[in-house]
């Protein structure tokens, strides 16, 4: 693969090289046949091969030293004139071919592909493969970049790949314009690389995602694959061959909305925890129960109806071609008559859920004009329309790309979060609201960073060693500021998993054990401190006891009597 | 019939025959070894090399390497001749002639290998 471009050059340069050889041969041979003249004007034997080759070499390359070794005879001059034009043609043909080759699209693609393959092969840290870097892919890429997580991008659209170069990433990302459906491209992008941690098939095209997921399953079954789907058919198909995680933004949003109606506190917690890390806190949504109007009964509408009806919400459906919708009204919902006919005056909420952004905005604006206190849910299909939706500020805006990105990041970077959310379902809503308040204050009005650590030699060597030496350490002792030991770190342990058993919000006095897995909610400055204390034995010692660990020699010379362990 | 194959075979065989023509005869007698024949052998050998560029198969690689060997031997022979005639001025003595001809003999061997490869390839493909 690497030598491709070299062979391509050789192949294309065959004809010009042969032309050049032939021209040289003709010129040199001719010159060895034409009689010359000596200094006195008498005829002399022709040039030897050596002199002829020397003369043609400097003439053909336009260096032109003149007539060496002797002045030429008229016959020689005649032949040399022919040679000059011949060789100029030969050289220009070669040079033009070479330049055309360098500008050739195919050749340049080969070069970029080679460069990309080399960079991927040289990756030494674990990386993820993002197939499809549209709006969703960009969001995921930026979140990875913030976490210093390496990744490789495959995107069909060449323009988008070029745009990636312009975006503000910390590192230079290996990106290739290629079709993720082609297995060869996937392998080139590092599918079989030993450090490849997982594949995200999150392009707009669900069939492409399906093809990618199958290819990953077959070519590297060990790594997880996350796929985005739209229709239930493709979802079922993806699940049938063991895709690790299928994200359908419509289904997911419908679930969220139903949860927000049924259990607002729990939904609020889920929203904060699954939000893109370190972004502004999402505003709270409190959709009312009661009667709702649903505009647009496509795949999104079906998913909504399916999830909202069990929560006790009654729906009136407006759709131009809704044949299977019970209590349906034909129309778009963009005009007041249709909305009035659907009973907007008795409704509590409206969902503008068609696949046309402008219609959705029109529905939402008409509805809030008719009834300002109505709860409006608007679906945004295209990122380009984001400013319009921001200006309108619906009570709840559904952005499919964001949902997919959030979920993909949560699943990949914090697998314990899924565990936590499943435990959360059994909790009382009062404990949820208390937790929401604590988490909201962790990161100054932004979503908390979620971090997973395992108390082992890799993640937290210092702490692990201390635990192995039989030291008793409690989370409360650990989570304090190393510069001011009186101040506890703004970090919350959400979940502790020990031997597969989860502890929801473990008590600060629970003794830690080696091998425990922790899910923490924190913010970046606090996390850096905590991470240092996990990895650096001296820092850990200071945090735990308030004493600087002296060096070995100092300890020998001036032994300090052990101080009873302090408790923060 | 593939015209590319015709040209390819033609040049490989021509390189071998020209080389043989130059090589044959008493090794130490310059009058039996024409310098034009050496020049022709060199040029045809170079063309044959260029024709072998860009073939990525195993047999293509061996083809290319035999051709490169032949080129190298013939260029060495040509340089020896040029040095004897023009640089040192010793002329084509029996000693010089025999070294030029024996160098071309080496090239002949490489060219023969090339021809054998060509035949082997043809027999293998049976098309």
């Amino acid at each position: 693969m690497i030598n491709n471009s070299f062979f391509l050059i050789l192949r294309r340069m065959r004809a010009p090289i042969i032309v050049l050889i032939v021209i040289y041969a003709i010129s040199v041979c001719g010159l060895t046949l034409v009689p010359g003249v000596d200094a006195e004007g008498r005829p002399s034997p022709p040039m030897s091969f050596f002199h002829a080759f020397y003369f043609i070499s400097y003439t053909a390359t336009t260096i032109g030293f003149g007539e060496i070794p002797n002045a030429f005879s008229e016959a020689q001059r005649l032949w040399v004139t022919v040679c000059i034009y011949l060789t100029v043609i030969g050289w220009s043909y070669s040079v033009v071919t070479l330049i055309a080759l360098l500008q050739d699209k195919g050749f340049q693609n080969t070069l970029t592909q080679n460069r990309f393959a080399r960079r991927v092969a040289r990756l030494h840290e674990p990386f993820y493969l993002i197939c499809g870097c549209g709006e969703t892919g960009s969001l995921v890429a930026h979140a990875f970049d913030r976490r210093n997580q390496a990744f490789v991008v495959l995107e069909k659209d060449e323009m988008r790949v070029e745009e990636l170069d312009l975006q503000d990433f910390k590192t230079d990302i290996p990106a290739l314009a290629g079709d993720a459906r082609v297995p060869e491209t996937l392998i080139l992008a590092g599918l079989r690389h030993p450090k490849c941690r997982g594949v995200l098939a999150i392009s707009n095209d669900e069939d492409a995602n399906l093809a990618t997921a199958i290819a990953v399953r077959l070519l590297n079954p060990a790594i997880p694959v996350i796929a985005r789907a739209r229709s239930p058919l493709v979802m079922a198909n993806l699940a049938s061959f063991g895709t690790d995680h299928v994200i359908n933004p419509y289904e997911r949003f419908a679930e969220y909305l139903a949860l927000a109606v049924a259990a607002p506190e729990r939904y609020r917690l889920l929203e904060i925890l699954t939000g893109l890390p370190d972004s502004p806190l999402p505003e709270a949504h409190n959709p009312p129960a009661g009667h709702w109007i649903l505009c647009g009964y496509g795949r999104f509408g079906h998913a909504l109806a399916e999830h909202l009806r069990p929560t006790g919400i009654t729906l009136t459906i407006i759709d131009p071609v809704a044949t299977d919708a019970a209590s349906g009204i034909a129309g778009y919902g963009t005009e007041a008559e249709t909305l009035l006919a659907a009973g907007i005056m008795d409704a509590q909420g409206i969902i503008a859920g068609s696949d046309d952004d402008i219609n959705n905005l029109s529905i939402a604006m008409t509805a809030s004009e008719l009834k300002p206190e109505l709860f409006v849910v608007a679906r945004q299909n295209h990122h380009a329309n984001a400013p319009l939706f921001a200006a309108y500020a619906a009570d709840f805006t559904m952005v499919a790309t964001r949902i997919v990105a959030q979920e993909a990041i949560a699943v990949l970077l914090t697998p314990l979060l899924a565990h936590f959310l499943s435990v959360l379902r059994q909790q009382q809503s009062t404990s949820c609201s208390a937790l929401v308040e604590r988490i909201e204050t962790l990161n100054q009005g932004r979503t908390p960073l979620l971090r997973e650590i395992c108390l082992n030699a890799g993640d937290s060597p210092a702490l692990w060693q201390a635990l192995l030496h039989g030291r008793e350490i409690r989370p409360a002792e650990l989570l304090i500021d190393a510069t001011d030991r009186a101040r506890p770190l703004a970090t919350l342990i959400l979940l502790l998993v020990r031997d597969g058993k989860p502890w929801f919000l473990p008590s600060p006095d629970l003794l830690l054990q080696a091998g425990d897995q922790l899910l923490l909610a924190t913010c970046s400055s606090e996390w850096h401190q905590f991470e240092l204390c996990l990895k650096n034995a001296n820092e850990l010692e200071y945090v735990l006891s308030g004493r600087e660990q002296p060096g070995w020699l100092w300890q020998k010379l001036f032994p300090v009597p052990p101080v009873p362990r302090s408790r923060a | 019939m593939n015209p590319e194959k015709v040209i390819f075979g033609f040049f490989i065989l021509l390189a071998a025959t020209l080389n043989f023509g130059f090589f044959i005869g008493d090794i130490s007698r310059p009058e039996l070894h024409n310098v034009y024949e050496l020049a022709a052998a060199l040029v045809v050998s170079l063309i044959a090399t260029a024709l072998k560029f860009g073939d990525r198969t195993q047999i293509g690689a061996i083809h290319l390497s035999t051709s490169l060997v032949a080129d190298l031997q013939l260029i060495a022979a040509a340089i020896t001749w040029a040095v004897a005639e023009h640089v040192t001025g010793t002329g084509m003595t029996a000693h010089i002639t025999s070294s030029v001809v024996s160098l071309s003999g080496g090239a002949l061997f490489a060219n023969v290998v090339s021809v054998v490869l060509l035949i082997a390839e043809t027999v293998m493909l049976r098309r």
Side-chain angles (χ1 to χ4, degrees):
Chain A
M1 192 47 100
I2 300 300
N3 283 330
N4 249 350
S5 45
F6 178 67
F7 279 108
L8 208 68
I9 293 185
L10 284 183
R11 226 192 160 78
R12 296 278 194 88
M13 289 306 289
R14 254 190 211 170
I17 287 176
I18 290 172
V19 166
L20 214 56
I21 292 172
V22 169
I23 286 176
Y24 263 61
I26 292 171
S27 312
V28 170
C29 270
L31 216 50
T32 59
L33 297 173
V34 182
V37 69
D38 64 10
E40 284 83 48
R42 285 168 308 198
S44 68
M47 276 182 166
S48 72
F49 265 108
F50 174 66
H51 284 142
F53 181 68
Y54 174 56
F55 175 79
I56 291 297
S57 296
Y58 70 64
T59 309
T61 48
T62 70
I63 292 170
F65 284 150
E67 297 176 345
I68 299 176
N70 300 315
F72 283 1
S73 67
E74 303 301 326
Q76 277 177 322
R77 286 186 185 147
L78 185 68
W79 178 243
V80 166
T81 314
V82 174
C83 291
I84 289 170
Y85 285 102
L86 268 182
T87 48
V88 165
I89 291 168
W91 274 119
S92 1
Y93 176 41
S94 312
V95 169
V96 166
T97 313
L98 195 62
I99 290 174
L101 182 61
L102 290 181
Q103 286 179 337
D104 186 74
K105 200 81 195 149
F107 178 70
Q108 282 186 341
N109 279 348
T110 329
L111 279 188
T112 7
Q113 234 175 50
N114 287 348
R115 215 175 304 135
F116 174 76
R118 260 200 308 268
R119 288 192 53 193
V120 172
R122 246 186 274 137
L123 279 174
H124 291 307
E125 45 186 336
F127 67 93
Y128 289 102
L129 173 54
I130 302 178
C131 301
C133 198
E135 289 154 28
T136 318
S138 293
L139 281 172
V140 174
H142 278 286
F144 278 170
D145 191 53
R146 271 199 296 276
R147 278 281 300 259
N148 295 323
Q149 168 68 54
F151 57 95
V152 171
V153 171
L154 257 188
E155 160 67 41
K156 216 161 64 179
D157 187 358
E158 214 163 302
M159 290 295 286
R160 278 206 176 277
V161 174
E162 279 170 25
E163 276 169 24
L164 273 182
D165 281 342
L166 304 177
Q167 284 177 24
D168 189 22
F169 286 110
K170 276 189 258 177
T171 48
D172 196 15
I173 308 146
L176 180 72
D179 193 344
R181 276 177 294 193
V182 183
E184 206 173 311
T185 321
L186 282 170
I187 292 172
L188 199 71
L191 179 57
R192 282 182 164 159
H193 194 292
K195 294 280 187 188
C196 185
R197 277 273 184 85
V199 177
L200 295 100
I202 48 176
S203 71
N204 256 335
D205 179 357
E206 61 177 355
D207 293 323
N209 295 343
L210 184 64
T212 309
I214 290 187
V216 175
R217 251 310 132 265
L218 291 173
L219 296 175
N220 193 349
I223 61 171
V225 54
I226 290 181
R228 168 182 177 182
R230 245 183 243 169
S231 61
L233 200 68
V234 174
M235 268 180 87
N237 195 345
L238 282 165
S240 67
F241 56 83
T243 304
D244 298 81
H245 200 87
V246 182
I247 307 171
N248 180 334
Y250 304 152
E251 289 275 338
R252 199 64 79 220
F253 182 79
E255 268 169 38
Y256 287 171
L257 191 60
L259 184 63
V261 172
E265 291 302 336
R266 199 177 305 154
Y267 171 68
R268 175 77 184 145
L269 193 57
L270 184 140
E271 198 180 22
I272 294 174
L273 291 178
T274 56
L276 291 176
D278 210 16
S279 54
L281 273 180
E283 50 186 317
H285 305 297
N286 290 307
H291 184 68
W292 284 57
I293 296 170
L294 170 59
C295 302
Y297 198 57
R299 279 185 294 239
F300 181 53
H302 276 87
L304 278 171
E306 196 182 305
H307 283 91
L308 285 180
R309 282 198 172 119
T311 63
I313 284 178
T314 51
L315 286 173
T316 301
I317 291 162
I318 302 179
D319 191 275
V321 284
T323 46
D324 57 335
S327 67
I329 291 174
Y332 287 98
T334 49
E335 45 315 88
E337 292 98 275
T338 327
L339 290 178
L340 286 171
I344 190 167
M345 287 314 170
D346 307 320
Q348 306 297 314
I350 186 166
I351 303 165
S354 75
D355 52 9
D356 184 312
D357 278 350
I358 302 307
N359 276 353
N360 287 346
L361 282 169
S362 162
I363 292 166
M365 286 163 73
T366 316
S368 35
E369 222 161 84
L370 286 172
K371 192 176 179 184
E373 68 274 20
L374 205 62
F375 188 90
V376 179
V377 177
R379 167 181 169 191
Q380 178 194 326
N381 296 290
H382 297 290
H383 184 65
N385 293 327
L388 296 180
F389 282 88
Y392 170 69
D395 296 293
F396 203 166
T397 307
M398 182 272 185
V399 190
T401 55
R402 236 182 137 76
I403 292 175
V404 176
Q406 284 176 351
E407 184 151 340
I409 291 165
V411 166
L412 287 178
L413 298 183
T414 45
L416 276 187
L417 183 61
H419 214 121
F420 177 78
L421 293 177
S422 70
V423 178
L424 186 70
R425 275 185 208 124
Q426 294 132 32
Q427 301 296 319
Q428 298 294 319
S429 60
T430 45
S431 70
C432 284
S433 63
L435 193 55
V436 166
E437 268 171 40
R438 285 186 66 187
I439 290 178
E440 276 179 342
T441 53
L442 278 180
N443 196 6
Q444 292 111 30
R446 298 175 78 80
T447 49
L449 297 184
L450 291 186
R451 288 291 186 267
E452 249 183 71
I453 49 166
C454 184
L455 305 188
N456 59 16
D459 270 11
S460 50
L463 184 59
W464 181 67
Q465 201 117 72
L467 288 170
L468 280 194
H469 284 121
R471 200 150 172 183
E472 293 188 345
I473 299 173
R474 295 169 176 81
E477 296 172 308
L478 211 53
L479 294 171
I480 54 174
D481 193 343
T483 45
D484 173 14
R485 289 187 70 253
R487 188 184 77 87
L489 285 179
T491 297
L492 186 64
I493 300 182
L494 293 175
L495 189 73
L496 183 149
V497 178
R498 182 178 293 167
D499 304 326
K501 189 173 165 291
W503 304 60
F504 182 75
L505 293 177
S507 133
D509 290 322
L510 180 78
L511 282 178
L512 293 175
Q513 282 180 15
D516 285 355
Q517 285 174 291
L518 303 177
L519 178 68
L520 305 163
T522 177
C523 68
S524 58
S525 59
E526 311 282 68
W527 168 250
H528 287 310
Q529 277 207 21
F530 187 56
E531 202 180 21
L532 185 65
C533 132
L534 291 176
K535 293 190 170 159
N536 184 322
N538 292 342
E539 183 82 3
L540 179 69
E541 180 60 38
Y542 182 75
V543 164
L544 289 177
S545 66
R547 278 193 304 142
E548 291 283 357
Q549 182 81 10
W552 171 82
L553 187 64
W554 189 266
Q555 245 176 344
K556 289 276 170 232
L557 294 176
F558 309 99
V560 188
V563 186
R565 205 164 294 149
S566 68
R567 290 278 302 273
Chain B
M1 197 173 67
N2 185 346
E4 194 196 335
K5 291 281 170 213
V6 175
I7 293 172
F8 190 68
F10 169 77
F11 274 101
I12 287 180
L13 215 57
L14 187 63
T17 50
L18 284 170
N19 201 333
F20 180 71
F22 176 75
F23 175 73
I24 199 150
D26 189 352
I27 198 166
S28 58
R29 287 169 60 193
E31 68 271 23
L32 297 183
H33 305 284
N34 192 333
V35 72
Y36 280 97
E37 215 160 358
L38 177 61
L42 179 54
V43 168
V44 172
S45 180
L46 284 175
I47 292 176
T49 312
L51 281 174
K52 290 167 180 177
F53 280 168
D55 186 348
R56 296 186 57 192
T57 58
Q58 172 70 18
I59 213 154
I62 305 286
H63 256 309
L64 184 59
S65 59
T66 55
S67 245
L68 287 174
V69 168
D71 291 346
L72 207 69
Q73 294 260 356
L74 289 174
I75 289 171
I79 289 176
T80 312
W81 171 81
V83 167
E85 283 280 280
H86 297 279
V87 182
T88 58
T90 44
M92 293 306 277
T93 59
H95 173 67
I96 299 290
T97 310
S98 55
S99 62
V100 168
V101 175
S102 65
L103 276 169
S104 81
L108 178 64
F109 186 74
N111 273 325
V112 168
V113 172
S114 237
V115 172
V116 170
L117 279 178
L118 184 70
I119 295 168
E121 201 182 0
T122 318
V123 171
M124 212 166 64
L125 288 178
R126 291 172 193 281
R127 279 198 287 240

